Amino acid sequence: DGDTIRVEINGQTEDVRYIGVNTPERDEPCYGRDGGATGANAALVEGQMVRLVSDVSDRDRFGRLLRYVYVGDTFVNAELVREGWAEATRYEPDTANFDLFVDLERDAEQAGLGCHPTGIFDDGTFNR
């Protein structure tokens, strides 16, 4: 979906959850593969070699790897927020890029980008 990917590492398939961001769920506006967060995520990473960077935690309670994701020089977590497809979400203790994500979200909200016009995000309230 918009904030997770499935990757192959040394012949093993792993689910990866993006650190510090959240995107709409299946039953929410702006989820879709066409014109939504899921499609935006796929456009950035599908079929690409990704670089995974950890913060403090290794895995979430669902067993997914928690990572910052890069495709070349593109910081995917940040790009999703910058384009308005994701919102900044503080998940302690993994907060190394939270302030960056908040700044990018403010800009995307003000510009009415991505999902912001749907009202799906709790715009205007950022917990630093």
Side-chain angles (χ1 to χ4, degrees), residues 99-122:
D99 289 340
L100 167 66
F101 297 156
V102 167
D103 291 342
L104 292 170
E105 183 178 354
R106 279 195 180 119
D107 292 345
E109 175 191 359
Q110 290 172 353
L113 298 177
C115 297
H116 289 280
T118 70
I120 190 67
F121 298 143
D122 193 12

Side-chain angles (χ1 to χ4, degrees), residues 8-96:
E8 185 177 318
I9 303 172
N10 299 324
Q12 298 286 344
T13 301
E14 292 274 4
D15 289 332
V16 176
R17 174 66 166 81
Y18 295 161
I19 297 172
V21 303
N22 192 46
T23 62
E25 302 300 327
R26 288 185 194 275
D27 60 341
E28 296 177 324
C30 203
Y31 169 83
R33 190 151 175 91
D34 296 322
T38 303
N41 184 33
L44 289 166
V45 300
E46 194 167 55
Q48 302 294 314
M49 180 74 70
V50 298
R51 181 169 48 98
L52 305 175
V53 177
S54 61
D55 197 331
V56 175
S57 305
D58 186 51
R59 293 183 183 269
D60 67 8
R61 62 188 174 122
F62 302 108
R64 300 175 296 191
L65 291 172
L66 295 170
R67 298 292 187 270
Y68 299 111
V69 177
Y70 292 82
V71 173
D73 292 333
T74 301
F75 184 8
V76 176
N77 310 49
E79 188 67 9
L80 289 169
V81 177
R82 188 185 70 74
E83 293 178 354
W85 303 114
E87 65 181 332
T89 306
R90 187 178 196 96
Y91 295 111
E92 296 287 347
D94 304 296
T95 59

